[in-house]
Amino acid sequence: MALVGGCSLAGEISDAGRIDASPVRVYGVVDRVVQVRGGSDIRVSYQVDGQRFATEDLPLGHGARLTDPAVGTAVCLEAAAEHPETVRLCSQKYPGGDNMIPTEGLVVLAGAAGGLMAAGWIVAVARQERRERERSLRDSL
């Protein structure tokens, strides 16, 4: 879980950096809305410098202004000039929404702390078993 959260967080930060380095404001159109558990899967088609793109996983984030979109709805997007396939809704700081970064950061931190605790426990048990074996060997001599 922590690894997935960490990879997701790293990807969002990387995407945000690409967009923030050279944002291009474009308008896309919602061309598919599929209701899924917990919300909607939205595909938005857009053009950057004459090239057509579509995003299958447009991250709406928390507090997004795009609520209950319908096919044909115009959507303001910011794309990275060097990587126009990387987009987010206008006014979002991160691709997954401003509120996602702290949440995922906490998940990653908790996962890392749990991993370190587990590793420490494994090392402590291994050392204890080694001491027991050494003590047993000394006693048998």
Side-chain angles (χ1 to χ4, degrees):
M1 172 81 173
L3 181 60
V4 172
C7 291
S8 176
L9 178 64
E12 287 189 8
I13 290 172
S14 174
D15 288 349
R18 286 178 177 171
I19 295 169
D20 290 340
S22 57
V24 176
R25 186 165 286 214
V26 297
Y27 286 89
V29 175
V30 174
D31 57 12
R32 186 178 72 208
V33 178
V34 177
Q35 297 302 318
V36 294
R37 188 177 190 180
S40 302
D41 183 20
I42 301 165
R43 184 175 71 185
V44 176
S45 296
Y46 61 98
Q47 287 187 20
V48 176
D49 292 331
Q51 287 186 292
R52 292 182 182 266
F53 296 92
T55 179
E56 294 291 332
D57 57 350
L58 180 65
L60 298 180
H62 300 286
R65 294 183 182 159
L66 185 61
T67 56
D68 200 25
V71 172
T73 303
V75 179
C76 179
L77 301 170
E78 289 180 330
E82 297 295 318
H83 301 275
E85 67 281 358
T86 303
V87 295
R88 64 181 174 208
L89 291 174
C90 291
S91 77
Q92 278 190 329
K93 186 174 181 182
Y94 291 98
D98 295 341
N99 296 333
M100 288 287 285
I101 298 300
T103 303
E104 287 184 358
L106 290 174
V107 169
V108 170
L109 183 60
L116 288 173
M117 287 173 56
W121 181 78
I122 290 168
V123 168
V125 168
R127 286 181 178 172
Q128 182 65 28
E129 288 177 357
R130 188 181 73 216
R131 285 187 204 121
E132 293 289 330
R133 279 187 304 226
E134 290 172 355
R135 189 175 300 137
S136 175
L137 283 173
R138 273 186 268 152
D139 292 343
S140 68
L141 293 176

